[in-house]
Amino acid sequence: MNFTMTQAAQKFMRMMLRADGKAGSGFRLAVSPGGCSGLAADISVLGAPLPGDAVVERDGVRLFLPVESRLLLDGVTIDFADTATQTGLVFHDPKQVTCSSHAEKALQ
């Protein structure tokens, strides 16, 4: 699968797995289209993948990825942000066109 994870995202996922998981647990990342903001994710720590989930190991982090997530994550960089306005996973998708880009094109 063609996606990357930053050190910050890996650290967040490992922390979640240590807090909520046990041996063999994985970080389930169910990604969905998020409109102007790009992608949105429903995250959880599970003891086993759900039916249809692919098990992907990246840099020692075990991920459970549903089919739609695997498609949406193609070419995406997964990051973690902890700022005054946002805390959580952030998805940098070079294919995503922002709403401001749509508005600029409409004005041209």
Side-chain angles (χ1 to χ4, degrees):
M1 282 175 226
N2 183 29
F3 66 90
T4 57
M5 295 190 311
T6 66
Q7 296 272 339
Q10 292 172 26
K11 182 178 178 183
F12 169 73
M13 291 178 190
R14 284 190 186 100
M15 182 185 70
M16 293 283 294
L17 285 164
R18 274 195 304 273
D20 298 335
K22 39 190 163 293
S25 290
F27 189 89
R28 188 167 197 268
L29 185 57
V31 180
S32 58
C36 293
S37 60
L39 299 174
D42 179 25
I43 61 173
S44 55
V45 174
L46 300 177
L50 297 179
D53 285 359
V55 179
V56 178
E57 189 107 10
R58 284 286 165 91
D59 300 308
V61 177
R62 190 170 189 220
L63 298 167
F64 301 152
L65 301 173
V67 173
E68 185 178 24
S69 297
R70 298 192 303 262
L71 297 172
L72 291 171
L73 288 173
D74 184 48
V76 170
T77 297
I78 303 169
D79 197 3
F80 179 78
D82 189 5
T83 66
T85 59
Q86 180 179 30
T87 299
L89 293 176
V90 179
F91 302 92
H92 303 287
D93 185 355
K95 301 177 302 290
Q96 177 65 33
V97 178
T98 64
C99 290
S100 60
S101 295
H102 285 297
E104 289 168 13
K105 286 179 184 172
L107 293 173
Q108 293 175 352

